[in-house]
Amino acid sequence: MNRSVEQRLLDLYVANVDIVGEGFSVGLNSQRREYIEAFNLAGIPDRKDERYGLSDLRTLFDSREWEHYFTPVQLSALGGESLPSSRYRIEVNNGFCTETELCRLENGVVYGSLRTALQEEVDSARLHYNTVADNKGASLTALNSAFMQDGSFVYVPEGVELDEPILVFHRYGAGAEDVMGFGRTLLVFGAGCRARVQLIHAGDHGEGVDDRGSYLADYVREICVGEGADVHLSEVSDFSGNCHLLLESYVSQETRSRCEIHTVDLGEGTARLDYTTDLTGREAESYLYGLYLHGERERCDVGVTVNHLVPECRSYEMVKGVASGEATGSFTGRVYVAQDAQHTDAFQQSRNLLLSPEAHIYTRPQLEIYADDVKCSHGATVGQLDAEAIYYMRQRGIGEDEARRLQLHGFVNDVISHCCCESFCDWMTARAERKIATI
Amino acid sequence: MLEIKNLHCNVENKEILRGINLSVQAGEVHAIMGPNGSGKSTLASVLAGNEKFEVTQGEVMFEGMNLLDMSIEERARAGLFLGFQYPVEIPGVSMANFMKVAVNERRKYLGLDPLSSTDFLRMMREKGKIVELDSKLTSRAVNEGFSGGEKKKNEIFQMAMLDPKLAILDETDSGLDIDALRIVATGVTKLHRPDNATIVITHYQRLLDYIVPDYVHVLYKGRIIYSGTKELALKLEAEGYDWLINQYQ
């Protein structure tokens, strides 16, 4: 019991190496060893690491004896939770895809289990897996790469315009036990394609599981956006239970591609959301709109890194946070502009509302610029609801609570109203409204 | 309709209103004039219920109710409307959404059912015409990016939507060009009926060319020092306040 978290995870890996690697290629399995060693070397990020200075991950990892299942676990049936409708859908329970067969559409689109895609040696999966997230310095990503057994996979071939969004629905939970799991997503978009993807992270909403344990998800996502592709992602994490989500999202964008991400965190547990985008081709455009809404003792840490590696790219980030009760939110943003990335146009903004004296917001926007002909700006605000606006609304007959609600809705609206499709926006808005009513 | 008796009020322990007496009946238009700092806007804010102001003495009855016991929103729902001198911008809240909630609160108070979306949109269009409000503005966020003139038109538009018993217009003419002044003032006149009343706070007689007052009051150092008819406004425009102030002192 006195072993460190790192040692325990290493032991767990060694004891189960055969189960973990079962059915995967020799090449992929040999990489796992490097990743678990990299993880062991780097360790769980502690608070000395500037990027993680605001999240106490070691305490989280140490807080319980986390179980890990190497086989799929049946989750209880969804209890009255309605999901946005979707024709193309992938369901992932505790990191394992519920369908083992891949879906192949006539236009060449492939989606489904990442395990199947890798084991059937689907080229787009094999060639791109672990290329964008090949970051051995990021220990949580390395840990995920060592333990990865399954997850979701989407491939949209060159020039294809996907008519409807693909929905990837992640659920986490495991009855009464405290469980740790690894989720993985690989999204590959060919040159000139157009596609929308919706991602939902939810807890085990089953009925009658009052003694539900905690869930710790180490989830990694890789997104490869080909030349001239236009991709739009919308993501919601909405845990009802005692869930902790550690998300590391990596995007690589080629020339003239466009990638827009909307991410909303409404979860009741803790979330650490890291988004890294590499702009590797000229004139690529990256947009990130983030929002978290938290009350009680909830916590959300958002990290955004955009790497402008070549000239003439554009990036835009707007992350909004609302903290009420005793909640804590943080934003760490970093725009990196390489020496020859001239004519970069980068904008980064963190806007926050503090609704109670016990809530905390930390915001740390950063620019790191090595080129000399660029347009980069950033800003951060932390404020309260506008008392004048509330007075104005009350003078029109609107009650104080409703006036606060309207104003909060107004604050979050521009993030949630521009996500990738109308029905998903409506679904997300309803969720956000429900959350606003509680904070 | 409105009966103000010996109203005193403080802001940060400084007495701003020092015994206001005013009676407004249905169908009347009252103009309140007076030099800067005399307490005109304070009177409007106190009647609206702004919590920055502390009423220390006096009584205000509105439609038989004790106004000072009512919350800001209760006063509004009962039919008291304040046209703001500086309308507030509310980013992210659409005019349509804002007005729908407000109108339905007023209707609820009057015992009416909420309006359907179709009826509400029709009402928005019709009332917008009264002040020639660009229909695009109603789909934007409340006052956000509106010009000075548009903001003031928007106040009168909201007044038309809410159909108040008593409208208090706080320097609605300030910052308006000649055309906008005509449109806003004509809008107010169109909304005037025998069963409602208006209090117009202004510095300038020209507004009163359109909105013809039954009474003109001069406020000075927190008291009404003189009341007259519309001719008083003309005399003030020509001669200023000195003769009245000298007479008062």
Side-chain angles (χ1 to χ4, degrees), chain B residues 140-237:
Chain B
R140 299 227 311 253
V142 179
N143 290 322
E144 195 182 35
F146 285 30
S147 72
E150 284 163 350
K151 281 182 182 168
K152 294 299 175 77
K153 282 187 194 175
N154 193 18
E155 291 296 287
I156 306 307
F157 165 68
Q158 292 174 42
M159 173 179 161
M161 292 291 288
L162 294 168
D163 190 21
K165 298 295 286 183
L166 174 68
I168 304 162
L169 305 177
D170 189 3
E171 296 200 29
T172 296
D173 51 343
S174 68
L176 291 183
D177 65 34
I178 300 160
D179 289 329
L181 177 70
R182 176 180 46 78
I183 292 165
V184 164
T186 318
V188 175
T189 314
K190 282 181 196 160
L191 297 174
H192 191 59
R193 290 197 310 256
D195 65 338
N196 62 22
T198 312
I199 297 175
V200 186
I201 293 172
T202 183
H203 276 295
Y204 304 106
Q205 193 274 329
R206 60 179 183 187
L207 178 69
L208 307 178
D209 284 343
Y210 298 99
I211 310 174
V212 181
D214 299 296
Y215 300 95
V216 175
H217 309 279
V218 175
L219 201 62
Y220 178 67
K221 288 192 174 169
R223 289 198 187 99
I224 290 174
I225 57 166
Y226 196 87
S227 296
T229 53
K230 62 183 183 208
E231 286 74 24
L232 174 61
L234 288 166
K235 189 172 161 71
L236 290 171
E237 182 87 357

Side-chain angles (χ1 to χ4, degrees), chain A residues 351 386 388-389 391-402 405-407 409-411 413, chain B residues 48 50-52 72-73 76-77 80-82 84 88 90 92-93 98 102 105 143 155 158 162:
Chain A
R351 291 184 58 197
D386 181 355
E388 281 295 308
Y391 169 54
Y392 188 73
M393 287 191 263
R394 291 179 72 189
Q395 208 303 303
R396 298 302 185 244
I398 299 171
E400 195 171 357
D401 287 346
E402 180 73 359
R405 195 192 63 78
L406 275 174
Q407 212 184 1
H409 181 82
F411 181 74
N413 195 33
Chain B
N50 191 329
E51 287 152 354
K52 272 190 244 166
I72 302 168
E73 55 269 33
R77 290 170 192 162
L80 186 142
F81 178 90
L82 173 64
F84 281 61
V88 183
I90 315 175
V93 179
F98 166 67
E105 287 290 358
N143 290 322
E155 291 296 287
Q158 292 174 42
L162 294 168

Side-chain angles (χ1 to χ4, degrees), chain A residues 247-289:
Chain A
L247 177 151
E248 313 225 312
S249 166
Y250 297 89
V251 183
S252 173
Q253 286 186 242
E254 291 179 26
T255 307
R256 285 191 299 282
S257 62
R258 187 179 187 284
C259 180
E260 182 168 337
I261 298 179
H262 287 256
T263 177
V264 175
D265 177 40
L266 310 168
E268 290 174 6
T270 53
R272 158 127 204 140
L273 313 173
D274 271 293
Y275 296 85
T276 304
T277 297
D278 288 340
L279 299 169
T280 63
R282 286 179 181 237
E283 294 176 50
E285 294 182 18
S286 154
Y287 300 87
L288 181 99
Y289 299 87

Side-chain angles (χ1 to χ4, degrees), chain A residues 290-292 316-323 330-331 347-354 361-365 378-384 386 407 410-415, chain B residues 90-92 144:
Chain A
L291 167 71
Y292 58 82
Y316 179 95
E317 295 113 55
M318 164 72 83
V319 177
K320 291 188 168 184
V322 179
S330 81
F331 170 80
F347 178 77
Q348 178 197 70
Q349 194 164 34
S350 157
R351 291 184 58 197
N352 303 282
L353 281 181
L354 263 180
I361 297 268
Y362 301 90
T363 174
R364 199 160 50 182
H378 63 177
T381 58
V382 181
Q384 291 160 10
D386 181 355
Q407 212 184 1
F411 181 74
V412 305
N413 195 33
D414 60 340
V415 175
Chain B
I90 315 175
E144 195 182 35

Side-chain angles (χ1 to χ4, degrees), chain A residues 61-93:
Chain A
F61 273 86
D62 272 335
S63 64
R64 288 178 168 79
E65 281 278 337
W66 299 103
E67 285 288 332
H68 176 62
Y69 293 110
F70 293 92
T71 49
V73 173
Q74 187 68 38
L75 296 186
S76 49
L78 286 175
E81 281 295 324
S82 67
L83 285 176
S85 61
S86 64
R87 189 137 61 103
Y88 314 127
R89 180 166 163 154
I90 307 173
E91 225 174 286
V92 182
N93 285 351

Side-chain angles (χ1 to χ4, degrees), chain A residues 7-250:
Chain A
Q7 190 62 46
R8 269 184 282 158
L9 286 164
L10 181 64
D11 292 349
L12 184 70
Y13 174 79
V14 171
N16 295 280
V17 65
D18 293 339
I19 305 171
V20 171
E22 193 188 345
F24 289 98
S25 70
V26 176
L28 195 148
N29 281 336
S30 69
Q31 283 184 346
R32 293 182 192 270
R33 183 81 212 172
E34 292 171 33
Y35 281 112
I36 194 73
E37 279 166 9
F39 164 74
N40 208 30
L41 200 65
I44 298 285
D46 61 25
R47 303 181 76 164
K48 284 182 209 137
D49 182 331
E50 197 184 17
R51 276 184 62 150
Y52 292 88
L54 301 169
S55 332
D56 194 354
L57 295 184
R58 183 165 297 278
T59 306
L60 176 61
F61 273 86
D62 272 335
S63 64
R64 288 178 168 79
E65 281 278 337
W66 299 103
E67 285 288 332
H68 176 62
Y69 293 110
F70 293 92
T71 49
V73 173
Q74 187 68 38
L75 296 186
S76 49
L78 286 175
E81 281 295 324
S82 67
L83 285 176
S85 61
S86 64
R87 189 137 61 103
Y88 314 127
R89 180 166 163 154
I90 307 173
E91 225 174 286
V92 182
N93 285 351
N94 285 355
F96 290 92
C97 201
T98 54
E99 296 288 330
T100 49
E101 293 280 304
L102 290 173
C103 293
R104 294 171 188 271
L105 304 180
E106 273 178 17
N107 54 14
V109 171
V110 181
Y111 66 92
S113 157
L114 177 63
R115 178 188 187 87
T116 310
L118 288 169
Q119 295 191 346
E120 288 181 3
E121 306 246 309
V122 173
D123 275 350
S124 48
R126 187 175 54 86
L127 296 174
H128 290 96
Y129 176 73
N130 239 341
T131 54
V132 191
D134 183 20
N135 186 349
K136 296 192 178 73
S139 65
L140 295 176
T141 304
L143 182 66
N144 181 288
S145 296
F147 278 95
M148 186 284 302
Q149 284 182 277
D150 197 3
S152 49
F153 169 68
V154 173
Y155 170 59
V156 183
E158 182 174 342
V160 168
E161 188 166 333
L162 195 60
D163 55 346
E164 280 187 39
I166 293 181
L167 174 70
V168 186
F169 179 47
H170 298 93
R171 288 172 70 209
Y172 306 98
E177 285 178 284
D178 295 323
V179 174
M180 172 180 190
F182 303 94
R184 186 95 180 193
T185 294
L186 174 62
L187 309 174
V188 180
F189 301 100
C193 77
R194 284 171 68 89
R196 292 170 294 170
V197 177
Q198 303 163 342
L199 299 118
I200 298 173
H201 302 272
D204 187 1
H205 290 285
E207 304 277 331
V209 199
D210 291 337
D211 53 350
R212 212 176 303 158
S214 296
Y215 196 89
L216 173 60
D218 176 13
Y219 168 81
V220 171
R221 177 168 65 221
E222 295 181 273
I223 305 170
C224 311
V225 187
E227 185 173 332
D230 186 349
V231 176
H232 199 152
L233 263 88
S234 301
E235 177 168 50
V236 182
S237 41
D238 189 359
F239 297 123
S240 61
N242 202 3
C243 275
H244 309 278
L245 174 66
L246 308 174
L247 177 151
E248 313 225 312
S249 166
Y250 297 89

